[in-house]
Amino acid sequence: RVAVQKTGTFAWELAVIRAHGLDKQANLSVQVLELASPEAGKIALRAGNADIVVTDWLWVSRERGLGAKLTFYPYSSALGAVMVPASSPIQTLADLKGRKLAVAGGPIDKNWLLLLAWLKQGGIDLKSDATIAYGAPPLLAAKTLSGEMDATVNYWNFCAALEAKGFRRIAGIEDLLPKLGAKGRSAMLGYVFDDKWANTNRDKIARFIAMTRAAKEILSTSDAEWEKIAPLTGAPDAATLRAYRDRYREGIPRRPIADEEADARILYRVLAEIGGHELVGPAPELDAGTFYHAIPGD
Amino acid sequence: MARLLSFAMFVAIWWIASLFAGDAKLPPPPTVLTAMIAEARSGNLFFHLGATLARVTLAFTLAMALGTAIGYLMGRVRLADRLGDPWLILLLNLPALVAIVLAYIWAGLTEVAAIAAIAINKLPTAVVTLREGARALDAALDEMATVFALPRWSRFRHVILPQLSPYIAAAARSGLSLVWKIVLVAELLGRPNGVGFEIGVAFQLFDIPLLLAYSLSFAAVVLLIETLLVQPFEARSSRWRPRAA
Amino acid sequence: MARLLSFAMFVAIWWIASLFAGDAKLPPPPTVLTAMIAEARSGNLFFHLGATLARVTLAFTLAMALGTAIGYLMGRVRLADRLGDPWLILLLNLPALVAIVLAYIWAGLTEVAAIAAIAINKLPTAVVTLREGARALDAALDEMATVFALPRWSRFRHVILPQLSPYIAAAARSGLSLVWKIVLVAELLGRPNGVGFEIGVAFQLFDIPLLLAYSLSFAAVVLLIETLLVQPFEARSSRWRPRAA
Amino acid sequence: MRLEVEIASKTFKSAAGEQHDVIAGVAFALNAGEVGVLVGPSGCGKSTMLRILAGLDPDFQGRVSRPAGARIGFVFQEPRLLPWRSVEENVRLAAPLADEPKLSALFEILELKAHRNHFPGELSLGLARRVALARAFAVEPEFLILDEPLASLDAALASRLRDEIAMLIDGRSVMTLLVTHDVDDAVRLGDRVILLSPRPARVLADLPIRTPRGARGEVEIAAIKSEIMRRIDGCPTKQGGS
Amino acid sequence: MRLEVEIASKTFKSAAGEQHDVIAGVAFALNAGEVGVLVGPSGCGKSTMLRILAGLDPDFQGRVSRPAGARIGFVFQEPRLLPWRSVEENVRLAAPLADEPKLSALFEILELKAHRNHFPGELSLGLARRVALARAFAVEPEFLILDEPLASLDAALASRLRDEIAMLIDGRSVMTLLVTHDVDDAVRLGDRVILLSPRPARVLADLPIRTPRGARGEVEIAAIKSEIMRRIDGCPTKQGGS
Ligand SMILES: Nc1ncnc2c1ncn2[C@@H]1O[C@H](COP(=O)(O)OP(=O)(O)OP(=O)(O)O)[C@@H](O)[C@H]1O
Ligand SMILES: Nc1ncnc2c1ncn2[C@@H]1O[C@H](COP(=O)(O)OP(=O)(O)OP(=O)(O)O)[C@@H](O)[C@H]1O
Ligand SMILES: [Mg+2]
Ligand SMILES: [Mg+2]
């Protein structure tokens, strides 16, 4: 049983899986619970209505620290980006100083925190040096589009949509990671499930991961497949769909899980420092059991 | 007649405003109508509207029935009021989000949890309104009913209910609107269908015409119920009132 | 006394329930209290509570004042009722999300937009309640006021207001709760502070104790206002009522 | 069936916090078939006493033994009709057992035939009072309580109704308590006239009238009237005023 | 200052949809300082007429010329007090100009002194009516309308109040309209007695009484009374009943 956000990328993957009968090949019966908001998945997992949801390792580690034994397997390394209108005078991240900046997801959003950490290394404290508007991602995307905001830090799918409308990408958050100590693109999003459930369903999980890999493969090689799932993405035009496709492909995690975990450990420290206790909970370090290691071939 | 006129005025104002504001800020009526028709064609509109209406009906009925009973009790019995009041204020001021999240965590992402959470959100406002109604009951008529030994049911139906009816009407109307606001949150957070679900999707896609199409469809249903059922009934049951100019 | 008892009972039930349900499903009172104290220490609690209270106060006052006036008019003047009714039903059934999103789109991510959106959400429920109140006004007292040529203000204050007061009380209590529910959505969607903002953060982290800490703090503020201000005032102004047993 | 009343005291605490003594010792008894008339100055505590006797106010010092479970017909001082029910419904609700011929007869006597379908708000005060009378009679009461039943009616109608009441009481053994300000009514209807003092109410005199109602001549009536007038000391008779 | 009334017809449409003719042609005039008394059977349309004359009901056929802007004092048939204001506040609200000595005197006359701080719900009906009287007198009306002002009061008090009303009217040139069922009151207070038919109301007789109020002897009063009784045809006098 998996819970997905109806407009999320996971839903796209599942559509491909069904279209190609991958679930039958893997001998899995996938029950999909479609939900309408990102937080709904966490509720579904907590309430026991779903076995697998997609969210980030930050939350998993925090929950482990608080006693809920969840575990994580990489799903996507796609992160947000900083977007400005094409004609904007903003050229580099440092130019964001003194601007009106729309931050999607609020002050504990990982994109935002990573950006802050990066800029801090350059001696800029954006939190006090810019006018910041927190808010819901779609609303802020629209606000940036209408010109009310100078720039936005937003989730990658909204950025892709903006890009298709001619907006300029100042920087992808994933590009900032090396400077923060990570060795590569870290997959912050992943499949999350309960330890106990995982222990009893080892085989099922392995088959599930393999199945989704196959789907990712299809999506990364076949453009025709994108035409088929176009209605799901809500992309109003071909340009947006193309942007979605490219960003999605970039985000497919291809690194060994040990590397991912090592990077996560480093980034966690960075985030813990900047986000503080509120963000990471009682644990200053990434909880040891956060990553799921039982997949053959990692 | 006046209603039709008023409705026409509404559409006109909307249209003109959308011309001034631009499509992006406020889509004009035809755009929204197109979205509505498309959704209706595909059957989506009726499916989601139906799911939401079922939830609304259940939660509303539950909350009104319980709320009326508790509110009456608190209005009549001093002790009940004293004991219940802190709970009432707490419930009144419990954010919808919190109630819904807790309900889902406890009872799972089930229909029962959703309906219970919605009913719990609406309940205290019904209680508060009915409590005022019960406090304002006429003691003289009560004495009359006692002396003439009116049976319990007859007393409720003919002496008490008519006095409470304006309060019930107020609680029902504003309560329906509250239920409707909350069902959307509940559907957003943990139901795989319903208008709230669709509005959530439309919001994620920032599809304003779709957003409006669903919102207005629901309003239209309520408007229909009001015009065809509630208002004729109200007119009948308030015949006794001296007509105002 | 009864209030204290009731409050103690609430905490006890909560505690026992949390023991049964387990920490993850319902944190026990001390955990929430700890979270509350931590937030209070850091000053966050008061900052966000203050921001929200300011918004609530403004939006509430605006909506109540306007709602009372419009509701009174619609209850007294047949034509106003006929013309206004479809608009009222539409507004009543406009989802909070839609109103807030539209307000933010039109007026920008500003304080004004937030307060206007909240007020617009609350307005129709106040109108609906006050309309019932105005319809139930006593014509006999009205005639008395006319014959004795009571000045406008005196008539309003001494003849009309006391008759409307139970309806105003009901509209205010359930209205405050509605405003509070909606301010959270407004803050969640586009304000950089306030309890709703914090609840949004807590929700993203799925930090139930923090969620409850903020919710209960607000409820506590309202409880305090009720106990110290509203209820003594109500007791005074309803002295004339024959006391119930 | 017998009513025994011994109210030692009744006080009200007003909302302003003052204590008001309303009854300061009233004792009397009434047998089935008897009509007791309470006469006393306005505000002396008559209606309060009736409410106690009907069991509506348990908060007093003393003892009242009422016929248990007796059907009560009460004509309150104000009509107390349900504004949202028609005249006919108002009567039928209180007297679900009354049949159509009975109601017709009552409406005929009380001249209410044209108003059956009216709501109370569409009645004159006199009409509303008559509806209250119809309601009390329709229940075929064993204990009839009348608080100024004939006020607000024109002289002709009042006199006709007085005769009707007398007939009704004589026909069946109804225990009746009547409050009136009209000494004439009191003497013509009562078997026992109880005179009350100003607030707090005490019994000034308890005058039995031994001649049966039907047999009282004008001379005897005038004699009892002047006796009553004399007892209400210091009070100029209405006839002698101005 | 003069009141001229010419009501051709007044009909009510009841909620049940029936048409009720209430007034079918009433015309009379009243001069300043005069007391007009309306006498008619219960439900004939008297209160309706008073409401029209006070300007509360514009929906009728005919013409009423009232003194423009005259201060009106109206004692409604029911007290119509504000339940949420004390007795004193009820009076003061209607008569903001009345000063303390004046109010004291009024409360003294009406025996309301002990009840100044009571709420209307704590009054007996007779007391509430007296408050309504106090309110109407406190405004020092130029046009005084009294709808059965002395009902529900005991005989002694009623007779004292009747004298007070007479004094008040004679003292200043108040135009007064009085509705009463008590022929005695009518003859002792009125300058002109207007007898009305049963519903729909027509004027049966318009009897002027030319002797000034103070000078009327008992004999003359009795004569006018029997004249009135005779006019109300078919009506047995109250004295002669049973
Ligand atoms: N709103 C109304 N709708 C229909 N009929 C009405 C309405 N108000 C009064 N009536 C009718 O008008 C008639 C006259 O009423 P009105 O109150 O004037 O009588 P009245 O002469 O004052 O009688 P009373 O002596 O009993 O007070 C009554 O028959 C009553 O039923
Ligand atoms: N709820 C109350 N609180 C305080 N005082 C009250 C209350 N009810 C009645 N009283 C007082 O009790 C006294 C008696 O009232 P009651 O109604 O019994 O008088 P009554 O004899 O029926 O007079 P009337 O002939 O005017 O009807 C009055 O002085 C009144 O002010
Ligand atoms: Mg009384
Ligand atoms: Mg009348």
Side-chain angles (χ1 to χ4, degrees):
Chain A
R1 292 178 301 159
V2 298
V4 302
Q5 188 185 345
K6 192 184 175 191
T7 53
T9 55
F10 194 19
W12 308 351
E13 258 173 43
L14 284 167
V16 172
I17 286 172
R18 260 199 238 114
H20 291 260
L22 296 176
D23 48 346
K24 293 210 188 65
Q25 285 172 30
N27 192 24
L28 286 170
S29 107
V30 183
Q31 286 172 37
V32 180
L33 181 60
E34 283 194 330
L35 298 169
S37 72
E39 275 72 30
K42 292 177 188 171
I43 300 176
L45 186 65
R46 180 67 70 85
N49 288 77
D51 299 317
I52 302 176
V53 302
V54 168
T55 183
D56 57 24
W57 47 249
L58 203 56
W59 184 67
V60 173
S61 173
R62 179 190 153 90
E63 284 295 301
R64 288 185 74 89
L66 293 171
K69 296 304 175 201
L70 302 177
T71 186
F72 172 97
Y73 188 83
Y75 158 74
S76 166
S77 66
L79 281 173
V82 183
M83 304 295 293
V84 297
S87 57
S88 169
I90 301 172
Q91 297 297 335
T92 68
L93 290 177
D95 293 341
L96 289 174
K97 259 178 87 167
R99 301 290 180 165
K100 274 163 78 180
L101 186 58
V103 177
I108 55 157
D109 177 62
K110 52 188 181 294
N111 295 313
W112 168 238
L113 289 172
L114 290 170
L115 176 66
L116 275 184
W118 191 86
L119 284 170
K120 209 169 194 176
Q121 290 188 353
I124 300 171
D125 182 9
L126 207 55
K127 227 174 178 167
S128 53
D129 286 348
T131 311
I132 294 157
Y134 298 118
L139 182 63
L140 292 182
K143 283 282 154 192
T144 315
L145 201 57
S146 72
E148 191 180 319
M149 292 293 163
D150 294 331
T152 181
V153 184
N154 218 320
Y155 300 165
W156 72 265
N157 50 326
F158 293 106
C159 291
L162 285 174
E163 215 174 335
K165 295 215 168 69
F167 272 58
R168 203 147 35 81
R169 193 179 165 95
I170 294 296
I173 300 298
E174 59 270 7
D175 305 333
L176 308 180
L177 299 184
K179 201 171 160 194
L180 293 171
K183 307 222 162 36
R185 295 176 58 111
S186 171
M188 295 192 75
L189 279 181
Y191 307 105
V192 172
F193 34 85
D194 191 78
D195 264 1
K196 254 200 242 116
W197 182 79
N199 283 335
T200 51
N201 296 285
R202 246 163 221 289
D203 182 48
K204 244 188 227 167
I205 294 176
R207 273 182 284 140
F208 177 79
I209 301 287
M211 171 181 80
T212 57
R213 278 206 189 123
K216 283 199 172 81
E217 210 43 51
I218 293 173
L219 281 172
S220 69
T221 50
S222 159
D223 287 356
E225 208 59 45
W226 281 92
E227 294 301 329
K228 277 193 220 152
I229 62 165
L232 277 182
T233 64
D237 49 43
T240 312
L241 186 65
R242 217 176 309 119
Y244 280 161
R245 188 188 67 202
D246 295 347
R247 295 291 162 223
Y248 174 85
R249 285 176 180 171
E250 274 177 32
I252 296 173
R254 300 182 188 282
R255 299 197 301 158
I257 187 103
D259 290 4
E260 292 283 7
E261 186 165 7
D263 276 354
R265 206 169 289 286
I266 293 161
L267 291 177
Y268 189 89
R269 245 178 259 133
V270 172
L271 288 170
E273 190 183 326
I274 195 130
H277 176 81
E278 193 179 302
L279 175 67
V280 296
E285 290 284 339
L286 186 73
D287 193 277
T290 302
F291 276 74
Y292 183 70
H293 287 287
I295 301 294
D298 282 336
Chain B
M1 256 316 290
R3 282 178 91 90
L4 262 180
L5 191 82
S6 168
F7 182 74
M9 212 159 72
F10 166 71
V11 174
I13 291 179
W14 173 10
W15 209 321
I16 292 167
S18 77
L19 285 183
F20 278 95
D23 257 35
K25 293 211 162 186
L26 180 67
T31 312
V32 173
L33 198 68
T34 312
M36 214 183 277
I37 290 171
E39 287 295 302
R41 278 262 172 75
S42 73
N44 264 344
L45 185 67
F46 302 113
F47 170 65
H48 290 299
L49 213 53
T52 297
L53 276 177
R55 281 180 202 122
V56 165
T57 311
L58 266 168
F60 177 79
T61 314
L62 200 72
M64 276 305 289
L66 228 71
T68 306
I70 297 176
Y72 178 73
L73 196 75
M74 285 180 72
R76 292 310 287 272
V77 184
R78 189 73 151 276
L79 188 69
D81 190 30
R82 295 243 153 176
L83 283 179
D85 194 59
W87 291 74
L88 189 64
I89 294 174
L90 192 94
L91 267 187
L92 267 176
N93 296 292
L94 191 69
L97 183 76
V98 173
I100 292 168
V101 169
L102 288 182
Y104 277 147
I105 292 181
W106 293 338
L109 284 181
T110 58
E111 211 56 67
V112 175
I115 288 168
I118 299 163
I120 279 189
N121 266 292
K122 193 239 166 303
L123 181 71
T125 71
V127 170
V128 148
T129 309
L130 265 295
R131 182 174 63 175
E132 292 297 333
R135 282 180 184 160
L137 284 175
D138 187 350
L141 291 182
D142 220 49
E143 288 190 355
M144 186 280 287
T146 307
V147 159
F148 284 102
L150 257 62
R152 196 176 280 268
W153 168 243
S154 161
R155 184 177 186 141
F156 173 70
R157 190 163 132 60
H158 300 291
V159 183
I160 298 193
L161 209 55
Q163 295 184 67
L164 291 183
S165 71
Y167 293 88
I168 294 179
R173 286 227 176 75
S174 68
L176 183 62
S177 109
L178 182 64
V179 164
W180 163 233
K181 287 185 196 351
I182 292 166
V183 79
L184 297 192
V185 182
E187 289 175 350
L188 198 66
L189 291 181
R191 294 280 76 212
N193 52 38
V195 177
F197 176 81
E198 272 302 307
I199 285 187
V201 170
F203 179 56
Q204 290 294 329
L205 301 173
F206 222 70
D207 187 341
I208 306 279
L210 193 62
L211 214 61
L212 285 179
Y214 271 98
S215 312
L216 293 184
S217 302
F218 186 87
V221 171
V222 177
L223 195 65
L224 221 68
I225 296 177
E226 273 272 339
T227 317
L228 297 183
L229 284 175
V230 182
Q231 293 192 347
F233 175 77
E234 265 194 339
R236 241 196 78 81
S237 67
S238 68
R239 269 185 319 152
W240 61 274
R241 286 213 175 130
R243 263 171 304 264
Chain C
M1 256 314 293
R3 281 178 92 90
L4 262 181
L5 190 84
S6 167
F7 182 73
M9 212 159 72
F10 165 71
V11 174
I13 291 178
W14 172 11
W15 208 320
I16 293 167
S18 78
L19 285 183
F20 276 95
D23 259 35
K25 295 212 159 181
L26 180 66
T31 313
V32 174
L33 199 67
T34 312
M36 212 184 278
I37 290 172
E39 288 295 301
R41 278 259 172 76
S42 74
N44 264 345
L45 185 68
F46 303 113
F47 170 65
H48 291 301
L49 215 53
T52 298
L53 278 177
R55 282 182 201 121
V56 165
T57 312
L58 266 168
F60 177 80
T61 315
L62 200 72
M64 276 305 290
L66 228 72
T68 306
I70 298 176
Y72 178 73
L73 196 75
M74 286 180 69
R76 293 309 287 274
V77 184
R78 189 73 150 276
L79 187 70
D81 190 30
R82 296 244 152 177
L83 283 180
D85 194 59
W87 291 74
L88 189 63
I89 294 174
L90 191 93
L91 266 188
L92 267 176
N93 296 293
L94 191 69
L97 182 76
V98 174
I100 292 168
V101 168
L102 288 182
Y104 278 146
I105 293 180
W106 292 338
L109 282 177
T110 58
E111 209 58 65
V112 175
I115 289 168
I118 300 164
I120 279 189
N121 265 291
K122 194 237 166 304
L123 181 71
T125 72
V127 171
V128 149
T129 308
L130 266 294
R131 181 174 64 174
E132 291 297 333
R135 282 179 183 161
L137 283 175
D138 187 352
L141 291 182
D142 220 50
E143 288 191 356
M144 186 280 287
T146 307
V147 159
F148 285 102
L150 257 62
R152 195 177 281 268
W153 168 242
S154 160
R155 185 177 185 140
F156 174 69
R157 190 163 130 61
H158 301 290
V159 182
I160 297 189
L161 209 56
Q163 295 185 68
L164 291 183
S165 72
Y167 293 89
I168 294 179
R173 286 227 175 77
S174 66
L176 182 62
S177 110
L178 182 64
V179 165
W180 164 231
K181 287 185 199 341
I182 293 165
V183 79
L184 296 192
V185 182
E187 289 176 349
L188 202 66
L189 290 182
R191 293 279 76 212
N193 52 36
V195 177
F197 174 77
E198 270 302 306
I199 285 186
V201 169
F203 185 45
Q204 275 181 31
L205 295 173
F206 226 73
D207 188 340
I208 308 280
L210 193 64
L211 214 60
L212 286 178
Y214 271 97
S215 312
L216 293 184
S217 302
F218 186 86
V221 171
V222 177
L223 195 66
L224 220 69
I225 296 176
E226 274 272 338
T227 317
L228 298 183
L229 284 175
V230 181
Q231 293 192 347
F233 176 77
E234 267 194 338
R236 242 196 77 82
S237 68
S238 68
R239 269 186 318 152
W240 60 273
R241 285 212 177 132
R243 263 171 303 264
Chain D
M1 214 164 72
R2 190 178 148 82
L3 177 77
E4 277 168 38
V5 181
E6 240 172 274
I7 303 175
S9 90
K10 162 79 194 170
T11 52
F12 277 117
K13 212 171 133 73
S14 81
E18 300 155 24
Q19 195 94 7
H20 274 251
D21 290 329
V22 176
I23 302 180
V26 170
F28 63 90
L30 205 64
N31 291 314
E34 255 190 341
V35 178
V37 181
L38 294 170
V39 175
S42 165
C44 77
K46 303 179 296 297
S47 300
T48 305
M49 205 183 311
L50 294 187
R51 288 181 59 250
I52 291 175
L53 299 188
L56 290 172
D57 186 350
D59 175 28
F60 65 99
Q61 299 283 315
R63 205 178 53 82
V64 170
S65 88
R66 297 191 296 140
R71 263 197 314 282
I72 302 180
F74 201 142
V75 177
F76 294 92
Q77 208 168 0
E78 332 82 57
R80 298 211 186 173
L81 305 176
L82 301 172
W84 38 82
R85 293 288 177 263
S86 73
V87 165
E88 180 168 345
E89 286 167 336
N90 262 286
V91 176
R92 278 192 192 277
L93 279 172
L97 300 177
D99 53 5
E100 180 53 35
K102 171 130 196 249
L103 287 189
S104 287
L106 264 174
F107 285 139
E108 177 78 53
I109 293 169
L110 292 160
E111 298 178 11
L112 286 170
K113 275 209 318 204
H115 303 282
R116 270 198 172 204
N117 296 322
H118 275 170
F119 288 107
E122 299 169 334
L123 300 178
S124 78
L125 184 59
L127 285 166
R129 289 215 137 134
R130 283 183 257 161
V131 177
L133 274 168
R135 180 173 60 184
F137 289 148
V139 299
E140 308 213 328
E142 295 156 319
F143 182 14
L144 182 61
I145 307 179
L146 305 167
D147 201 346
E148 293 201 62
L150 303 179
S152 274
L153 300 179
D154 53 293
L157 184 62
S159 123
R160 255 175 292 145
L161 285 184
R162 191 176 53 197
D163 297 347
E164 290 291 340
I165 295 175
M167 232 161 72
L168 184 103
I169 295 168
D170 287 336
R172 292 171 307 116
S173 84
V174 185
M175 194 166 75
T176 306
L177 214 49
L178 169 74
V179 165
T180 183
H181 286 307
D182 188 325
V183 180
D184 198 49
D185 281 348
V187 176
R188 282 172 198 276
L189 277 178
D191 294 308
R192 163 189 304 280
V193 177
I194 298 159
L195 301 182
L196 297 172
S197 72
R199 181 172 66 84
R202 277 169 300 104
V203 176
L204 285 184
D206 186 343
L207 307 171
I209 306 177
R210 290 193 217 286
T211 324
R213 244 184 304 286
R216 285 170 208 164
E218 290 299 321
V219 181
E220 187 180 2
I221 286 174
I224 305 173
K225 269 167 77 173
S226 65
E227 161 77 5
I228 292 175
M229 291 301 192
R230 200 180 50 74
R231 298 275 190 148
I232 310 173
D233 21 290
C235 148
T237 68
K238 199 171 179 186
Q239 308 298 80
S242 182
Chain E
M1 214 164 72
R2 190 177 147 85
L3 176 76
E4 276 169 39
V5 181
E6 240 173 275
I7 304 175
S9 91
K10 160 80 195 169
T11 54
F12 277 117
K13 211 170 131 74
S14 81
E18 300 156 25
Q19 196 97 3
H20 275 251
D21 290 329
V22 176
I23 303 179
V26 169
F28 62 90
L30 204 64
N31 291 316
E34 255 189 341
V35 178
V37 181
L38 294 170
V39 175
S42 164
C44 78
K46 303 179 295 297
S47 300
T48 305
M49 205 184 310
L50 295 187
R51 289 180 59 249
I52 292 176
L53 300 188
L56 291 172
D57 186 350
D59 175 29
F60 65 98
Q61 299 283 316
R63 204 179 53 83
V64 170
S65 87
R66 298 191 294 142
R71 262 196 313 283
I72 301 180
F74 200 143
V75 176
F76 293 93
Q77 207 167 0
E78 333 80 57
R80 298 208 186 175
L81 304 176
L82 301 172
W84 38 81
R85 293 287 178 262
S86 72
V87 164
E88 179 167 347
E89 285 166 337
N90 261 286
V91 176
R92 279 195 191 276
L93 279 172
L97 300 177
D99 53 5
E100 179 54 36
K102 170 127 197 251
L103 287 189
S104 287
L106 264 175
F107 285 138
E108 178 80 50
I109 293 170
L110 292 160
E111 299 178 10
L112 285 170
K113 275 210 316 204
H115 303 282
R116 270 199 172 204
N117 296 321
H118 276 170
F119 288 108
E122 300 169 332
L123 300 178
S124 78
L125 185 58
L127 286 166
R129 290 215 138 135
R130 282 182 258 161
V131 177
L133 274 168
R135 180 173 60 186
F137 289 148
V139 300
E140 308 213 329
E142 294 157 320
F143 182 16
L144 182 62
I145 308 179
L146 305 167
D147 200 346
E148 293 202 62
L150 303 178
S152 274
L153 300 179
D154 54 292
L157 184 62
S159 122
R160 256 175 292 146
L161 285 185
R162 190 177 52 200
D163 297 347
E164 289 293 339
I165 295 175
M167 234 160 71
L168 184 103
I169 296 168
D170 286 336
R172 293 171 306 117
S173 85
V174 186
M175 194 165 75
T176 306
L177 214 49
L178 169 74
V179 166
T180 182
H181 286 307
D182 187 327
V183 180
D184 197 51
D185 282 349
V187 176
R188 281 171 199 276
L189 278 177
D191 293 309
R192 164 189 304 279
V193 178
I194 298 159
L195 300 182
L196 297 172
S197 74
R199 180 172 66 86
R202 277 169 300 103
V203 176
L204 286 183
D206 187 343
L207 308 170
I209 305 177
R210 291 195 216 284
T211 325
R213 243 184 304 286
R216 286 171 207 163
E218 290 298 323
V219 183
E220 188 180 2
I221 286 174
I224 304 172
K225 267 167 77 173
S226 66
E227 162 77 5
I228 292 174
M229 290 303 189
R230 200 180 50 73
R231 297 275 191 150
I232 310 173
D233 22 289
C235 150
T237 67
K238 200 173 181 185
Q239 307 299 80
S242 180

